Each structure stands twice: as C-alpha cells, then as structure tokens.
C-alpha cells in the first residue's frame, strides 16, 4: 500500500500517486503562494530511512521541508486530536501577533478513523467527539484572529471511513466554513475535485490534473457581506475519556484490524465492529443492498 509519498515503506519524491503537476503545495510553491502543512505526508519521530534520527514529524516531500510544523502529529490513533489542535492554535496565535499567516494551510485531524472496539482504547463515540471538538476549537481560534475576515476553511473526510451515509453510500461530509459562506445546505452534486478547484481558484494556483481542471468551483455559496462574529466551539455530550471494554466480542474482533496506518483494516470487519460498538447487538447489521440493472429498469 503506497501512500503519502511512500513506496515500499520508503519516502520517494516522485511517488506513484502524485498528480501530473504535483500536489497543492507544489502549485503554491510554483505560484509564490505561502503554505503550511500540519500532519500530512510526514514520517513519525524516530529513525529515518537514511539512518538519522528525527525529533519531530518530518515531511517526506522536498516541497514541504521548511513548510511543515514538525510538532504536529501525523496519523496515529494514540495522539488525541486535542493535542493536534493545541499545536495548531499556538502557531495561529503567533501568526496573529506577527500579522501574517500562510495563504494555504493543510490540516489533518485523523481520529475519526477510530480504533473500533479495541480493548481499553477510546470508544468510537469518544474518537468522534475528540475529532469534532478539535475542529471546533480550531475554528473558534481562527475566528478570533485578524485573518478570519478573509479566510475560508474546507472540511472533508479523507474517505467515508467505510461507513456508508444513512441516505446514500456515495455521500460523505463536506463543510465550508467562512464569514463569507451563505450557510445552509448546497443542493447540487459536489465532489472533492470541486472543492479543490474552489481553493485553487481563490488562490490562483492553477490545476493539478484534468480532474480538478474540470471541477466545478463553488461560486454560488458566498454572500455579499461577511458575518465576522467569532465562533464558539460546542462541548461534546460524549466524554473524550470513554473507553472500550477490555473483554468481549468486539475487543476480540478488533485484534484482527490493522490500525497502525490509515485505511489498511478489513473494511467489512471494521464496519461490523463499529456497528456493534455503537448500536449494540439488538440492532441487526444492515449489510449491502444491491439490485441488478435489469431489476432497476423494471
């Protein structure tokens, strides 16, 4: 599984997944647009592939070197998203004191992946509460800076976390947060490349590939005057300290989940573990519902 600039567990500067024109940070670098990375494409502290030792989360892409907050953790479910938020907020407050911030920021909050029902780990509900609160605290801190009046935040999941949406399994979460955002629900088809195209258009970055080139920027979601009132983060109703039982069926099943890296766990098993952990045994697992093209036509 080659991901995040890695190939056979080693970082490479030209990886198999890289878009033709590079990543967003490459476009920013070429266009002279300032940028900052928090947790994406980083190597955990420890010994690096060249034998040297890293004290922080070192970027594995040349264009991210000098543009990454190395105190900000990459993927790792043992690090609460609150700690990631603390690092981001501290640096944002420094940017506010200095009067300048990067035009493009890429911020990772990975704990919505959860650890399933792994014994003694936070429950899926606690992981999600941690994830939601971290995002809320980040928006609250941002809304109290001088930069809020000219900022837009785009929030997506890196995937649907193997958990189909309650209306349609093709849907996932997408949020646009800004004093200029009109609010409400956008009733049109939107995908990730449309959001990327919107960011690229706002920053005049150009495009990474044909996919965002043909994306449809969200031009109709803005209003004519901003609402500059600061945001106040909501306190979760679920305790962030809620833990899974140390014994039981879910704990045993979760031992078979590969959770050290993102998206390596068996999808079907993970879905079933999460369903049981959240819904209990009294609610039957729904499973997939399929229909042939002939049945659909009929």
């Amino acid at each position: 599984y080659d991901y995040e600039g890695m190939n056979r567990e080693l970082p490479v500067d030209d990886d198999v997944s890289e878009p033709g024109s590079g990543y967003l940070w490459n476009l920013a670098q070429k266009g002279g647009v300032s940028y900052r990375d928090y947790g994406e494409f980083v190597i955990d502290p420890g010994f690096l592939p060249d034998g040297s030792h890293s004290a922080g989360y070192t970027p594995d892409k040349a264009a991210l070197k000098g543009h990454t907050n190395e105190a900000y953790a990459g993927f790792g479910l043992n690090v609460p998203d609150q700690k990631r938020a603390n690092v981001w907020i501290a640096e944002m407050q420094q940017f506010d004191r200095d009067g300048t911030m990067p035009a493009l920021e890429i911020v990772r909050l990975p704990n919505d992946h959860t650890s399933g029902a792994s014994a003694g780990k936070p429950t899926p509900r606690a992981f999600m509460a941690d994830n939601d609160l971290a995002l809320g605290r980040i928006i609250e801190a941002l809304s109290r800076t001088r930069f809020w009046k000219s900022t837009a935040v785009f929030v997506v999941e890196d995937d649907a976390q193997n958990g189909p949406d309650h209306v349609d399994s093709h849907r996932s979460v997408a949020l646009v947060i800004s004093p200029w955002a009109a609010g409400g629900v956008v009733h049109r088809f939107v995908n990730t490349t449309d959001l990327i195209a919107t960011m690229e258009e706002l920053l005049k970055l150009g495009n990474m590939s044909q996919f965002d080139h043909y994306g449809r920027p969200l031009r109709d979601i803005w209003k004519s005057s901003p609402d500059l009132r600061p945001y106040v983060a909501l306190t979760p109703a679920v305790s962030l300290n809620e833990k899974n039982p140390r014994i039981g069926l879910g704990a045993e099943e979760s031992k078979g989940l590969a959770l050290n890296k993102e998206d390596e766990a068996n999808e079907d098993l993970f879905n079933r573990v999460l369903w049981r952990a959240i819904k209990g045994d009294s609610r039957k697992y729904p499973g997939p519902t399929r229909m042939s093209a002939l049945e659909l036509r009929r």
Side-chain angles (χ1 to χ4, degrees):
Y1 179 38
D2 294 331
Y3 72 107
E4 289 196 53
M6 306 296 282
N7 188 324
R8 296 173 179 84
E9 301 297 325
L10 295 174
V12 290
D13 210 46
D14 183 17
D15 66 84
V16 67
S17 301
E18 184 164 331
S21 298
Y23 294 98
L24 274 175
W25 49 79
N26 297 115
L27 297 184
Q29 185 181 52
K30 292 172 188 173
V33 174
S34 57
Y35 58 98
R36 190 78 167 151
D37 173 45
Y38 299 86
E40 287 282 5
F41 284 67
V42 295
I43 303 169
D44 288 357
F47 287 99
L48 301 178
D50 63 4
S52 62
H53 188 272
S54 165
Y57 294 87
T58 309
D60 61 20
K61 290 289 188 182
L64 291 176
K65 290 185 169 121
H67 297 272
T68 296
N69 186 320
E70 296 189 14
Y72 193 98
F75 185 85
L77 299 174
N78 291 324
V79 179
D81 278 342
Q82 301 312 304
K83 288 191 175 181
R84 293 180 175 92
N86 290 344
V87 173
W88 186 91
I89 290 169
E91 186 160 71
M92 176 54 62
Q93 290 171 342
Q94 185 60 55
F95 289 151
D96 195 32
R97 288 191 290 270
D98 294 341
T100 182
M101 70 170 281
L104 170 67
E105 290 195 357
I106 299 171
V107 184
R108 181 184 207 169
L109 294 171
N111 283 1
D112 57 334
H113 284 76
T114 85
S115 287
S118 298
K121 298 292 185 181
T123 64
R125 300 191 328 152
F127 265 118
M128 293 302 298
D130 176 38
N131 190 249
D132 288 344
L133 179 58
L135 175 60
R137 290 180 57 219
I138 282 174
I139 298 304
E140 178 176 327
L142 175 62
S143 72
R144 297 178 185 279
T145 69
R146 67 183 77 193
F147 312 117
W148 178 235
K149 63 181 180 293
S150 56
T151 300
V153 181
F154 298 85
V155 183
V156 293
E157 292 181 321
D158 69 318
D159 53 48
Q161 313 307 346
N162 305 331
D165 179 79
H166 68 292
V167 174
D168 189 297
S169 60
H170 296 89
R171 302 197 331 171
S172 186
V173 175
L175 305 174
V176 180
I177 304 167
S178 172
W180 295 94
V185 179
V186 175
H187 294 282
R188 58 156 268 199
F189 177 81
V190 179
N191 64 16
T192 302
T193 52
D194 295 332
L195 293 177
I196 290 173
T198 307
M199 291 184 267
E200 291 168 339
E201 185 172 84
L202 290 173
L203 295 174
K204 300 179 174 58
L205 294 179
N207 304 117
M208 294 186 289
S209 70
Q210 71 268 31
F211 299 107
D212 50 325
H213 175 79
Y214 289 107
R216 301 180 303 159
L218 293 165
R219 297 178 183 137
D220 54 350
I221 66 169
W222 313 111
K223 56 189 178 184
S224 57
S225 59
D227 180 355
L228 298 176
R229 290 176 298 173
Y231 177 74
V232 178
L234 301 178
T235 301
V238 175
S239 170
L240 273 59
N241 297 316
E242 185 179 84
K243 296 293 193 296
N244 290 320
R246 293 196 168 273
I247 58 174
L249 183 59
E252 286 300 312
E253 288 178 327
S254 295
K255 290 179 181 178
L257 296 174
L259 298 172
N260 289 332
K261 294 179 182 175
E262 62 273 42
D263 306 334
E264 287 192 331
N266 179 283
E267 292 184 12
D268 184 63
L269 175 60
F270 204 178
N271 275 339
R272 292 174 184 275
V273 166
L274 288 172
W275 178 270
R276 182 179 291 112
I278 297 168
K279 300 290 187 179
D281 290 320
S282 61
R283 298 279 297 275
K284 182 182 177 182
Y285 180 73
T289 301
R290 296 186 175 91
M291 180 183 292
S292 70
L294 180 60
E295 288 175 303
L296 178 63
R297 184 173 181 180
R298 185 182 297 127

